[in-house]
Amino acid sequence: MKIVFAFILLLFGLFISNFVIEKPLIDNYKVIKVDGKILYEKSGKNMTTGDLFASNEKLSFLTQESRAAVISPIKGRFVLTPNSIAGEASNLLPAMSNVATRSGAINSSFDLKNNFQGDYLILEEQKVAVNIASFPLNEKTFFYLQYELKGETIAKKLKNQNGNIILNTQDIYTIDGIKMPIPLKIKMSLYYKVEKDNKTTKISDFVLIAPDNENLKSEIKVLLENLNTKETDVITEEVASFLYEFYGKPQTENVKYWLQNHF
């Protein structure tokens, strides 16, 4: 009788287990970067780079533009945004991937204009190869940038080396020997000057993006620590995609050079 009763309990347990609804798995996310302001509702603290939080954490977005780059070692990188659905505070959107960036020499004004447009990101120093048959470079024939800073118009000659024009943020924002604070973004105009013909050609307008290097290193450190890969090309793509989504258009070689220098 006891054996029969035990067998009935076993069957009953198996029957009930088929109707048990499994609880959704709670994943943890690490914060790479925050734009705007996001609060943890329970503690009232600001979300910041390096935070670890659970996917069921209740969050408060102080503006509809607030967002965060977050990463899970299991699921990958996401963008955390406010949710438009009533009762849902946040939304995890798949992050951008496989960003195409320019490589190779620039042969024409059209190529230059396409290269220098929109939000143009520079990580400390960027080299841009140009065709010196189309754009001779020397002391009297060169590219320069023009921008407004503190009410003054600044013209900054760009250095060149072996057919490359060099954009170095420290040089660009050093005026009369004084290093100025580097702004995150500022509107620039690119010109090409040929002194012997006394001719100056405007190439394009763009917005130069120059992130704070220490903040950026903290953000990329979080990203790299949570990537499940050691493949250099994959790492470069992930970093470039994050930069494109949260800063501006990166150049692959600039990203590689910066990563080698700091990581």
Side-chain angles (χ1 to χ4, degrees):
M1 188 70 180
K2 288 182 179 180
I3 294 174
V4 173
F5 183 70
F7 182 69
I8 291 171
L9 285 177
L10 177 61
L11 289 176
F12 181 74
L14 291 172
F15 177 78
I16 292 297
S17 67
N18 288 330
F19 292 90
V20 173
I21 299 174
E22 291 186 4
K23 293 181 179 179
L25 292 174
I26 297 173
D27 197 5
N28 290 324
Y29 291 89
K30 205 78 179 280
V31 179
I32 303 171
K33 176 179 173 58
V34 180
D35 279 347
K37 204 167 186 180
I38 304 173
L39 301 179
Y40 299 105
E41 287 191 1
K42 188 175 180 179
S43 66
K45 291 183 178 179
N46 290 328
M47 178 179 284
T48 189
T49 297
D51 285 357
L52 182 69
F53 69 96
S55 57
N56 64 346
E57 181 87 38
K58 290 186 177 181
L59 303 170
S60 177
F61 293 76
L62 296 197
T63 69
Q64 282 298 307
E65 290 72 36
S66 296
R67 60 176 185 158
V70 301
I71 188 167
S72 157
I74 299 170
K75 296 181 179 178
R77 191 166 50 87
F78 292 86
V79 179
L80 185 68
T81 64
N83 202 323
S84 58
I85 301 172
E88 297 290 335
S90 61
N91 192 23
L92 282 170
L93 302 176
M96 187 178 290
S97 62
N98 298 322
V99 173
T101 58
R102 169 174 286 280
S103 60
I106 289 172
N107 296 301
S108 66
S109 295
F110 179 78
D111 289 341
L112 269 174
K113 188 173 182 178
N114 281 342
N115 185 78
F116 290 98
Q117 64 176 345
D119 289 344
Y120 192 87
L121 176 67
I122 295 179
L123 306 179
E124 296 183 293
E125 182 175 287
Q126 163 74 15
K127 293 181 180 180
V128 180
V130 297
N131 187 325
I132 57 174
S134 302
F135 299 101
L137 294 171
N138 52 56
E139 280 300 310
K140 295 186 177 182
T141 300
F142 52 85
F143 289 93
Y144 70 92
L145 295 174
Q146 186 169 295
Y147 62 95
E148 299 285 332
L149 187 67
K150 295 184 177 180
E152 291 187 36
T153 300
I154 309 296
K156 196 70 183 182
K157 180 181 177 180
L158 296 176
K159 295 177 182 178
N160 64 79
Q161 184 180 54
N162 301 324
N164 294 290
I165 53 175
I166 300 170
L167 294 91
N168 181 290
T169 53
Q170 287 286 357
D171 288 346
I172 291 169
Y173 294 112
T174 297
I175 302 169
D176 296 329
I178 300 171
K179 290 182 179 180
M180 308 297 288
I182 298 175
L184 173 61
K185 58 172 63 180
I186 193 167
K187 185 179 178 181
M188 295 271 174
S189 297
L190 178 67
Y191 292 86
Y192 181 62
K193 182 177 178 64
V194 181
E195 189 168 300
K196 71 174 183 178
D197 299 330
N198 195 28
K199 183 180 178 182
T200 300
T201 304
K202 183 176 181 179
I203 304 296
S204 66
D205 294 318
F206 65 98
V207 177
L208 177 61
I209 309 292
D212 179 89
N213 209 46
E214 294 307 310
N215 288 341
L216 187 60
K217 283 194 288 185
S218 298
E219 293 163 6
I220 300 303
K221 183 173 183 288
V222 173
L223 194 159
L224 297 182
E225 287 175 346
N226 290 275
L227 283 178
N228 288 321
T229 182
K230 292 185 179 180
E231 293 183 31
T232 303
D233 288 346
V234 177
I235 289 171
T236 302
E237 281 184 10
E238 284 288 340
V239 172
S241 297
F242 160 71
L243 292 171
Y244 188 90
E245 201 158 23
F246 276 79
Y247 285 103
K249 180 177 68 176
Q251 307 297 302
T252 300
E253 292 306 314
N254 188 208
V255 174
K256 286 181 180 178
Y257 179 76
W258 187 86
L259 285 171
Q260 287 168 0
N261 276 352
H262 296 290
F263 293 93

